[in-house]
Amino acid sequence: MSNLIIGASSGLGREIAYEFARNSKNLILISRNLKDLEILKSDLEIKFKIEVNVFQLDFSDLNEVSKFILDNTKVLEKIDGVLFPIGMMKENDNVKNSNDDLISIFSANFYSINFFISHILNIFEEKKDGFIVGFGSISGAIGREINVSYSSAKRALENYFESLIISNLKNHIKVQFYILGYIDTNLSFGKKLLLPKGSPVNLAKIVYKNLGKKGIKKFFPFWWIFIDMAIKILPFFITKKIIKFFN
Amino acid sequence: MTKKKIYSLDKNYSADIFFKRPDKYKEIEIESSKFDNIITMGSCNSYTPASFRKNALSIQLTKFNRIIEFDKNQKLITVEAGIMLSDLFNFTLARGLWVPQIPGYPTITIGGAIASNSHGKSCGFHGTIKKQIKRIKIFHKLHGWLNLSNEENRDIFDLTIGGLGLTGSIVEVQLRLEELSGNNFVTKIIKTDSSSDAVKKINFDVKKETYCYSWNRSDSFKNFGKGFVFQNELNVSSNNKLTKNIKLNNSDINKNFIINFWNKYSVFFAQSVYQNYFKFFKSKQYEESFQKAIFPFIGKEFYFKLFGKKGFLESQIIVPFDKTEIFIDEVETIFKKHDPLITLYSLKNFKGEQKNLRFENDGICFTFDFVKNSKNLFFMNKLDKICEKYHLTPSIIKDSRLKLETIEKCYKDFNRFKEEINKFDNKRIYKSTLTDKLMI
Ligand SMILES: Cc1cc2nc3c(=O)[nH]c(=O)nc-3n(C[C@H](O)[C@H](O)[C@H](O)COP(=O)(O)OP(=O)(O)OC[C@H]3O[C@@H](n4cnc5c(N)ncnc54)[C@H](O)[C@@H]3O)c2cc1C
């Protein structure tokens, strides 16, 4: 049996792969970058003596994802669970995005994940077991000037995972969703941020530890829950003023 | 892109730089394509400003830290160049293998060690890391991906080892590993009465695999050169596989206290305590862990911090065997006259052939650490003159103060190296503050 990680070649996905490997779990790794995946596979196999299979797949292309699912039904039937530490941002993602950008951002951050899970759910329901772990972003808590489509897709994803948790309360499928604040990956590297960054290594450990739990929705680093609550409690006209002040 | 202020370890240079730490192969290409001036950064543990330059991109490769291939029978390992020595050794030592020519701090990367042609404590026996490098893969903004070895792109291979990052980013490296017989060391302490005595005792048997270095007093002319030679030999009777991982200290070696604690009195006090500790409390022979013997600075990072915000200076010079007596004479003369404040004075054996900008030669390597003040700078200028007079080899990667004039006189290949770099990188994309000083 294997564990499937989508978006495994860098950042959080890579750390999750190491955490699973440290726990002697076989892996199937998916990402857009085959070269990075192959190097990761070598390192994991040499160091941890596990079996790793890799597939190049671009989640921003829904057709590619659909084809992958059709071509690899046998592989997917053998997985214990699937994790989606995937996120795609584009420069100049604002309120005036082009059609192509909208499609790729929404596909990578929402549609493809949703579509993939729909197929995996059938397999897990038949097996009466399996876990699904998704990762949202605090950017989805409120509208913004930059990363507009990304944050909208992440908000949609959060909603979808809430539905997923609720729909699987009565069976053996475990669903978890982590809403991420600042994480110390290359995306945030060198940036001056208002709050400290969370360690992806620590997050990977938490994710692994929680795999057996059902219906989790958590913030990481944890203090973002308070910011999220504040955003949700405050009337929009006040939030708007605060944003204006900081801008 | 945001900028970051960065300092050399000796604190003599700082710059506002653009900083990127890619974790995908494509990103190395993308980030490199955005800048006209680039320099690759390892862990930025260098004393000198070798991996940064004002307004240039420092592309840090520490996320490229994986093992790509390992062949135990052939004793070959292929790694990404951003791997830290501790991570590499935690893997190889458990299999009874290692690379002996490694610098004394575990967070240093293999890429940084190669670009500075590093040496270890056994450099009189093992030479420099150049010997262990079979193959290198670099990325250069103008030339793309290149495989380098004795068979392929030989000239660039030669320029890259000890080439201070000027031939582009070293991304992958294949290393020949050596067997390690034993998992700890037996350390013998031998008392020395003077610098000449230390040279004799350190140079006792270069054919033997010994990890030999000295610690000498430098607090006064009267004490100059007194101290000990430490001879670490592998303890073959111990199990030959290291089971314990190398532990990094959480202390950041690049952070300093605000003020300098080193002065005549504190140096005298520290050196007296150190000498008496070994004289009275340590037996003449004792066992030492691998970590302590090979990475002596782990846990002693405070030594650098004690220099404060103003930092320190280090001078490392290889003196051919037949010139050691005259060198010691000259140094003692200027020491007596100028009374510099030297916090550390140490010797080790060296073996190699000087080529390009590589810090390598047959002889004894003298190391001096200085508090940064005008008296010491004056003394160091005098040391430069001695180097120029006797054609000695001063270390470029250690001494950020070293002048172009001295380097030109002491490195016979300097101009040829410069020409070849200019030919290979005709737009001079890869540059650092250090190489600007060398006008390369
Ligand atoms: C405590 C301490 C002890 C030391 N002991 C020794 C010793 O015993 N022997 C010895 O030889 N040295 C020693 N050194 C010096 C050290 O080995 C060098 O300064 C080394 O280059 C530091 O490596 P780094 O990974 O920190 O690289 P950096 O300091 O970031 O860079 C150093 C140089 O390497 C280049 N570089 C780094 N990575 C790459 C890459 N991937 N591709 C191309 N170029 C690259 C940079 O451009 C730069 O020119 C010591 C340093 C310290 C701090």
Side-chain angles (χ1 to χ4, degrees), chain B residues 7-124:
Chain B
Y7 291 86
S8 58
L9 186 80
D10 71 3
K11 299 288 171 285
N12 290 300
Y13 284 87
S14 66
D16 287 318
I17 62 161
F18 293 103
F19 202 20
K20 275 279 164 186
R21 191 185 58 196
D23 63 358
K24 294 190 204 104
Y25 277 73
K26 203 88 210 130
E27 280 174 6
I28 300 180
E29 297 171 16
I30 294 169
E31 297 304 339
S32 303
S33 73
K34 292 182 191 160
F35 285 83
D36 292 333
N37 283 145
I38 308 165
I39 189 74
T40 318
M41 182 180 274
S43 290
C44 198
N45 282 169
S46 288
Y47 292 32
T48 51
S51 54
F52 60 84
R53 179 179 191 262
K54 192 176 170 199
N55 292 336
L57 170 70
S58 280
I59 187 156
Q60 187 173 47
L61 290 190
T62 45
K63 285 279 165 193
F64 289 79
N65 60 354
R66 293 162 289 194
I67 299 172
I68 301 169
E69 269 174 14
F70 174 62
D71 185 334
K72 190 164 194 294
N73 297 330
Q74 303 232 38
K75 294 187 216 142
L76 286 175
I77 193 162
T78 310
V79 291
E80 291 180 308
I83 193 167
M84 294 195 308
L85 299 176
S86 54
D87 288 340
L88 174 66
F89 281 3
N90 285 339
F91 178 79
T92 63
L93 289 172
R95 288 150 183 89
L97 297 164
W98 74 315
V99 178
Q101 302 90 335
I102 42 102
Y105 202 65
T107 55
I108 289 168
T109 63
I110 276 292
I114 291 174
S116 62
N117 187 33
S118 72
H119 59 270
K121 273 187 183 170
S122 58
C123 42

Side-chain angles (χ1 to χ4, degrees), chain A residues 95-109:
Chain A
V95 282
K96 293 190 292 188
N97 279 330
S98 69
N99 193 28
D100 286 351
D101 281 353
L102 276 176
I103 290 175
S104 60
I105 294 173
F106 269 90
S107 294
N109 295 302

Side-chain angles (χ1 to χ4, degrees), chain A residues 166-218:
Chain A
I166 291 164
S167 313
N168 288 285
L169 285 176
K170 291 195 186 121
N171 62 28
H172 289 90
I173 300 166
K174 291 137 214 144
V175 181
Q176 286 124 27
F177 192 66
Y178 294 87
I179 299 163
L180 309 183
Y182 300 144
I183 304 287
D184 190 8
T185 62
N186 71 332
L187 289 177
S188 63
F189 184 69
K191 287 192 182 148
K192 281 191 192 116
L193 302 167
L194 289 173
L195 287 167
K197 296 175 207 170
S199 150
V201 178
N202 290 346
L203 176 56
K205 284 196 167 75
I206 293 172
V207 169
Y208 187 82
K209 218 176 83 194
N210 286 340
L211 280 182
K213 296 188 182 157
K214 266 182 82 76
I216 286 182
K217 184 177 154 187
K218 267 183 189 295

Side-chain angles (χ1 to χ4, degrees), chain B residues 167-219:
Chain B
T167 57
S169 303
I170 303 171
V171 184
E172 288 175 21
V173 185
Q174 187 171 56
L175 296 164
R176 296 184 189 93
L177 298 170
E178 301 290 332
E179 262 172 45
L180 182 81
S181 39
N183 72 16
N184 65 7
F185 288 85
V186 176
T187 302
K188 269 191 215 149
I189 316 176
I190 302 160
K191 197 173 145 255
T192 67
D193 298 325
S194 64
S195 302
S196 307
D197 189 32
V199 167
K200 260 183 239 136
K201 286 172 178 161
I202 223 169
N203 193 21
F204 75 110
D205 187 0
V206 280
K207 290 206 177 65
K208 221 166 150 198
E209 187 175 345
T210 335
Y211 300 73
C212 209
Y213 63 98
S214 77
W215 173 86
N216 307 84
R217 286 188 72 157
S218 55
D219 53 309

